Amino acid sequence: MPETVLVTGGAGFIGSHTCVELLDHGYEVVVVDNHANSSPHVLDRIAKTASRPLTAAHLVDVRDREALGHVFAAHRIDSVIHFAARKAVGESVERPVEYYDTNVGGTCALLSAMHEHGVHRLVFSSSCSVYGDARTLPLTEHSPVAPTNPYARTKLMCERVLEDICELLPQMRVLALRYFNPVGAHPSGLLGEDPCGVPDNLMPYVAQVAVGRRERLSVFGDDYPTPDGTGVRDYIHVMDVAEGHRVAVGHLDDSPGLRVFNLGTGAGTSVLELIAAFTEASGRPVPHQVVDRRPGDVAALVADASAVAEAWGWTTTRDLAAMCADAWRFQTLNPDGYPR
Ligand code: UD1
C-alpha cells in the first residue's frame, strides 16, 4: 500500500510543489486548503504537472477540528505535512490575533484531530524568521531564537507546542523545517508563486517588474553591513524545498520526538545580486531605486545547511540561475498569475 500524506495548505506556493513531488514519488496525497491565500485553479495545475492525480482535495479551514476529523475518517492518513498558515510579516503586526488564531490555533486543531485518529507523524513548516536579527552567521539549528514579529513568534510557538506534545506522547515523530527564502517555480511553468495584490517579497516583485506589470522595484536600504550594502538572504529553490519535504517524510521514523532542521542552501545573495541574476535569466532590465530600509528587516540571514545533509544525505541542487529562470518562466506563462 502506498503511504498517504495529508498536505494542509496544499494549494499554496510551497504546498503545491510538494504535492507534485510526493505524487511523482509514489505517495498518495490528500489536500486540505481553504483557499484563503491560494487559487482553487492550483489543484488543476497540480493535476497537469504531476504524474498521478491527487487522491482528494478538501475545502477545509485548518482551525475547523470537526471538518478535519471528517478528513481523517475518510482516508487512511499515514503522515501529515502542515503548511496551512498566514505568512505576511507586515500583516502579522497589524493583525496579530488573526495570526495566532490561524497559525497556532490551526496547528493545535490539527494535532488534536491527528491524535484522535491515531496519526502521529508530522512535518511542520517553520521559518528561519524564528532566529530574528542574527548575530552570528551561518545559522545552525542551535543558534539562539529571537523572533522579531508576530508571524515569526507564531512559528516558534508552534515549535514549542510540538515539543510539549512530543514530551507527552512517545509515539509522536515530528520534523520542524525552518525554511530560509523559498523562490522559483516548477520548471514546467505551470506552478509558481502568485501573491494576491502587491507582492511583499523580493522575487515575485522583481518578476512583475521584469514582465512590465510594475514600474520599478524599491530596494529597501543599501546601508546594511553587507558587501554591497543591500540585504542578504539564503534563497532556496521551491523545488528543493518540496524535495526536502518528501525526503523528510521518509525520515520521520528515524527517531521519536521533535527534530528541527534548517532548509537552506548556505549561500547568501544580496538584493542587487538577485536583480543581476534575474536580468541575466530574463533578458529584461529590472528598473530599481534605493529607498529607506523596510522596518523590521534584518541585514543578513544565511543557513548552515549541514545538519540535513548529515542526517539524510540530502542537499539542495538548484542554483540562483535556476531559481530566476524558473520564476521567469512562470511569470511569462502566467503574466497575471493564476485565473481568479
Ligand atoms: C520574510 C520573513 C520570512 C517569511 C518571508 C515570506 C523575516 C525576517 N523574514 O522574509 O520569515 O517567510 O518573508 O513571507 O521576517 N526587498 C527589497 N524590495 C522589496 C522586497 C524585499 O529590497 O520590494 C529586500 C528585503 O529588504 C530583504 C530581501 O529583499 O533584504 C528579501 O525580502 P523578502 O523577500 O521580503 O523576504 P524576507 O524579508 O527575508
Side-chain angles (χ1 to χ4, degrees), residues 87-89 126-130 132 148-149 151-152 179-183 193 199-206 217-221 224 230-233 235 271 293-294 296-299 301:
K87 60 145 215 170
V89 172
S126 190
S127 167
C128 70
S129 62
V130 299
T148 57
N149 57 67
Y151 160 73
Y179 328 138
F180 281 68
N181 288 57
V183 296
E193 186 170 15
D200 287 317
N201 299 115
L202 181 61
M203 183 70 102
Y205 206 109
V206 167
L217 171 79
S218 296
V219 175
F220 297 142
Y224 284 106
T230 65
V232 167
R233 295 290 183 274
Y235 297 96
V271 176
R293 291 181 180 192
R294 180 171 66 176
D297 267 354
V298 302
L301 282 177

Side-chain angles (χ1 to χ4, degrees), residues 146-160:
T148 57
N149 57 67
Y151 160 73
R153 276 189 282 277
T154 66
K155 289 293 174 182
L156 186 60
M157 210 168 276
C158 288
E159 287 190 11
R160 299 285 191 246

Side-chain angles (χ1 to χ4, degrees), residues 189-244:
L190 284 169
L191 290 172
E193 186 170 15
D194 178 27
C196 298
V198 183
D200 287 317
N201 299 115
L202 181 61
M203 183 70 102
Y205 206 109
V206 167
Q208 292 190 8
V209 171
V211 84
R213 192 167 152 191
R214 299 192 189 274
E215 200 182 340
R216 109 166 30 84
L217 171 79
S218 296
V219 175
F220 297 142
D222 66 353
D223 56 352
Y224 284 106
T226 59
D228 67 19
T230 65
V232 167
R233 295 290 183 274
D234 184 338
Y235 297 96
I236 173 172
H237 198 299
V238 67
M239 294 300 295
D240 277 327
V241 179
E243 203 178 285

